């Protein structure tokens, strides 16, 4: 907005200018043309009357009116100019429509209020003076009429206020209302943009949560199922090697158990690969929305069932042999108590049973616990830490022993648990593979070390793994004990 009231790039009402002129809409241009024509006709008639009274040629008054009236065409672009022209023609007693519309447009525009007030005051003063002089001339022409001295100034002032105040007040109201509507519209647009951003962020968080859930389920299934099935395959291989009674049938049953275990591990790792990639979720589509819950339930049931079978290896082999009805054979459903116990997660107190399962499969495993309080069992020190910490340590040992079964059959393993001040450390180290040990042929998907690292780092711990100088492999993890419970 310039000093003359000219709007730069916008109309007087704040609407964007889309064409070479200052009208935002066609109907606005039509309205201004009609008002300019009416004002030109009015000023022409009033100019002719003024010229006649001033003893001037009427043509001069008509030309003056035709020049002043059409100024309303630019009222949206230069409202100050319109008001100044209307003030200039007040002494000629013309431009009533020009003054009214000009003051309304000025008040409704974005011109500073001090300029509007000054121009409105000038209009009142001009109208007051012109009206007073005209009334005084009429009173002097009538000798028998002697009004009080205050009457003429009062009437002149009232007429000036009546002709000036209504358009100014109405323009101020319309301008304030327009600005309020524009402010609300801008606020609504801003809120809509914010809601769109929030929706996008919510979708990103939901996708992140889905990916995290898929990864968590994949890790749980790998830890719970892979170790148990690996032990089953190891048992089957041992049975196949040492069976003496009915060697043919024992060898057949043992080979069947081994084949089933290998196939289960292969399918499990394929499923883990699908769960760890976002493309697999896109291929599955909306029908897989309940997959995480179903997979979690399957992992829980499998873990509970494998726990029961691990405690009785012979019963496990017999059950597998008896269920040789093909892939359609029904799987036994574990008891609710077992599933419930597995869903709560293993603890440090169960490390002894875990090591015992590997020993039963033929592995030489040494378990040592450092920093155990006096009178406390050397196996695990009970519920000293928060469940996530104990569960993570258990899973690290479980996966490390599974890797020994897979990649170093016959190797000696050592599990060391250290209770330190403010932290809990675990290390699983195995020696080189013995040359005479038979390889069970277990497939490997490379998810074990990844899962262990994810579990440890999620709790703020440190994880290191790598080969040893003696040709074996070492897995070490240190977890903070800040969440220890009494």
């Amino acid at each position: 907005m310039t000093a003359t009231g000219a709007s730069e790039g916008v109309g007087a009402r704040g609407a964007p200018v889309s064409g070479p002129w200052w009208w935002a809409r066609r109907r606005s241009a039509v309205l201004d043309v009609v008002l300019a024509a009416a004002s030109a006709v009015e000023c022409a008639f009033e100019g002719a009357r003024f010229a006649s009274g001033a003893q001037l040629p009427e043509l001069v008054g008509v030309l003056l009116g035709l020049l002043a009236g059409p100024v309303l065409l630019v009222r949206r672009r230069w409202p100050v100019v319109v008001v100044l022209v209307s003030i200039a023609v007040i002494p000629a007693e013309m431009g009533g429509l020009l003054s009214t519309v000009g003051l309304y447009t000025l008040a409704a525009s974005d011109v500073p209020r001090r300029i509007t007030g000054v121009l409105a005051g000038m209009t009142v003063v001009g109208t007051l003076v012109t009206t007073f002089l005209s009334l005084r001339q009429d009173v002097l022409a009538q000798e028998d009429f002697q009004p009080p001295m205050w009457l003429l100034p009062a009437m002149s002032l009232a007429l000036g206020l009546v002709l000036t105040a209504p358009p100014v007040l109405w323009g101020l109201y319309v301008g304030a209302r327009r600005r309020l509507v524009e402010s609300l519209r801008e606020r609504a647009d801003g809120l809509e943009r914010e809601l769109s951003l929030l929706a996008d962020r919510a979708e990103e968080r939901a996708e992140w949560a889905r990916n995290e859930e898929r990864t968590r389920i994949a890790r749980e299934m790998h830890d719970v199922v892979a170790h148990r099935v690996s032990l089953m395959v190891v048992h089957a291989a041992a049975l196949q090697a040492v069976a003496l009674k009915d060697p043919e049938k024992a060898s057949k049953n043992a080979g069947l158990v081994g084949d089933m275990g290998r196939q289960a591990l292969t399918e499990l790792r394929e499923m883990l690969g699908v769960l760890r990639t976002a493309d697999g979720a896109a291929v599955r589509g909306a029908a897989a929305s309940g997959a995480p819950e179903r997979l979690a339930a399957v992992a829980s049931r499998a873990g509970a069932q494998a726990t029961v079978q691990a405690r009785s290896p012979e019963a496990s082999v017999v059950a597998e042999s008896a269920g040789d009805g093909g892939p359609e054979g029904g799987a036994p459903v574990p008891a609710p108590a077992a599933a419930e116990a597995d869903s709560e997660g293993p603890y440090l107190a169960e490390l002894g049973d875990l090591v015992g399962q590997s020993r039963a499969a033929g592995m030489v495993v040494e378990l040592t616990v450092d920093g155990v309080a006096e009178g406390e069992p050397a196996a695990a020190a009970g519920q000293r830490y928060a469940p996530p910490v104990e569960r993570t340590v258990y899973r690290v040992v479980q996966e490390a022993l599974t890797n020994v079964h897979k990649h170093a059959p016959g190797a000696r393993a050592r599990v060391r648990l250290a209770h330190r001040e403010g932290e809990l450390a675990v290390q699983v180290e195995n020696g080189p593979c013995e040359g005479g040990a038979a390889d069970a042929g277990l497939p490997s998907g490379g998810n074990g070390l990844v899962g262990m690292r994810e579990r440890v780092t999620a709790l703020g711990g440190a994880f290191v793994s790598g080969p040893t100088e003696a040709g074996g492999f070492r897995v070490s993890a240190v977890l903070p004990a800040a969440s220890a419970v009494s």
Side-chain angles (χ1 to χ4, degrees):
M1 183 71 68
T2 63
T4 60
S7 301
E8 298 178 355
V10 295
R13 295 191 177 186
V17 177
S18 58
W21 301 96
W22 47 84
W23 291 292
R25 293 173 293 182
R26 181 175 298 178
R27 65 178 184 179
S28 299
V30 172
L31 176 62
D32 288 352
V33 169
V34 172
L35 290 175
S39 177
V41 172
E42 178 197 10
C43 290
F45 277 106
E46 293 176 346
R49 186 179 59 186
F50 170 75
S52 177
Q55 297 180 356
L56 296 173
E58 292 186 358
L59 182 60
V60 175
V62 172
L63 290 177
L64 179 61
L66 292 178
L67 289 176
V71 176
L72 282 179
L73 282 174
V74 298
R75 70 184 185 92
R76 300 177 189 270
R77 182 66 172 173
W78 295 289
V80 175
V81 173
V82 175
V83 176
L84 289 175
V85 171
S86 68
I87 294 174
V89 299
I90 286 178
E93 298 181 354
M94 67 171 64
L97 180 61
L98 177 65
S99 176
T100 303
V101 177
L103 287 173
Y104 164 79
T105 306
L106 178 67
S109 67
D110 294 329
V111 175
R113 290 292 166 257
R114 63 178 182 275
I115 298 179
T116 302
V118 170
L119 294 178
M122 292 173 61
T123 303
V124 172
V125 173
T127 305
L128 187 151
V129 173
T130 303
T131 304
F132 177 79
L133 294 176
S134 177
L135 290 177
R136 186 170 181 274
Q137 185 177 2
D138 292 341
V139 169
L140 292 177
Q142 299 177 9
E143 298 179 357
D144 57 344
F145 180 64
Q146 297 294 331
M149 293 184 62
W150 57 266
L151 181 61
L152 295 183
M155 291 181 61
S156 301
L157 179 61
L159 182 61
L161 293 177
V162 168
L163 295 178
T164 305
V168 171
L169 294 178
W170 182 251
L172 291 175
Y173 166 75
V174 172
R177 183 177 179 274
R178 183 184 300 119
R179 284 186 289 273
L180 176 62
V181 171
E182 291 175 355
S183 175
L184 293 177
R185 185 181 293 112
E186 292 177 358
R187 183 177 300 179
D189 294 340
L191 290 176
E192 185 176 356
R193 288 191 296 269
E194 290 180 4
L195 288 176
S196 178
L197 290 176
L198 289 176
D200 295 340
R201 292 177 181 176
E203 182 63 25
E204 292 176 358
R205 287 195 296 268
E207 183 63 25
W208 176 83
R210 286 193 292 269
N211 292 334
E212 287 293 319
E213 186 66 12
R214 283 195 294 267
T215 304
R216 186 188 67 82
I217 294 173
R219 186 167 57 241
E220 289 292 336
M221 291 182 63
H222 183 276
D223 292 342
V224 172
V225 180
H227 177 75
R228 309 300 186 182
V229 178
S230 299
L231 290 180
M232 184 183 69
V233 176
V234 173
H235 278 297
L239 178 63
Q240 187 177 10
V242 302
L244 298 177
K245 182 181 179 181
D246 197 358
E248 183 178 355
K249 184 176 180 180
S251 178
K252 181 179 179 180
N253 291 339
L256 179 61
V257 173
D259 292 339
M260 292 178 61
R262 296 185 188 95
Q263 182 180 2
L265 283 177
T266 301
E267 294 175 352
L268 174 63
R269 288 188 174 86
E270 291 176 355
M271 190 180 305
L272 296 177
V274 173
L275 288 172
R276 286 183 178 273
T277 58
D279 295 337
V283 171
R284 289 193 301 272
S289 59
E293 291 77 5
R294 295 195 297 271
L295 291 175
V298 170
S300 178
R301 291 196 299 269
Q305 181 180 359
T307 302
V308 176
Q309 293 175 352
R311 293 177 180 175
S312 180
E314 296 180 0
S316 174
V317 174
V318 173
E320 294 289 348
S321 302
D324 188 20
E328 297 180 358
V333 179
E340 213 174 284
D342 185 78
S343 64
E344 293 177 359
Y347 299 104
L348 292 181
E350 303 176 30
L351 279 181
D353 295 338
L354 179 65
V355 172
Q357 295 170 11
S358 294
R359 288 171 179 169
M363 181 189 299
V364 179
V365 186
E366 178 185 355
L367 173 63
T368 59
V369 181
D370 300 335
V372 181
E374 184 178 356
E376 197 171 10
Q383 282 278 358
R384 290 187 55 189
Y385 302 94
V389 176
E390 298 196 6
R391 189 158 47 245
T392 299
V393 172
Y394 183 93
R395 296 302 188 195
V396 169
V397 176
Q398 183 185 55
E399 181 59 31
L401 292 178
T402 301
N403 289 337
V404 176
H405 284 292
K406 291 180 184 178
H407 307 295
R412 299 173 62 91
R414 180 184 180 186
V415 179
R416 181 183 177 186
L417 185 66
H419 300 274
R420 304 171 183 170
E421 183 177 358
E423 63 183 17
L424 177 63
V426 62
Q427 183 183 88
V428 180
E429 181 179 353
N430 64 274
C433 175
E434 295 184 1
D439 189 355
L442 290 169
S444 176
N447 294 318
L449 293 177
V450 175
M452 284 190 283
R453 184 180 302 276
E454 290 175 351
R455 285 183 177 275
V456 174
T457 55
L459 297 179
F463 178 83
V464 179
S465 63
T468 63
E469 296 180 357
F473 200 84
R474 180 188 297 114
V475 173
S476 302
V478 179
L479 291 98
S483 56
V485 293
S486 59

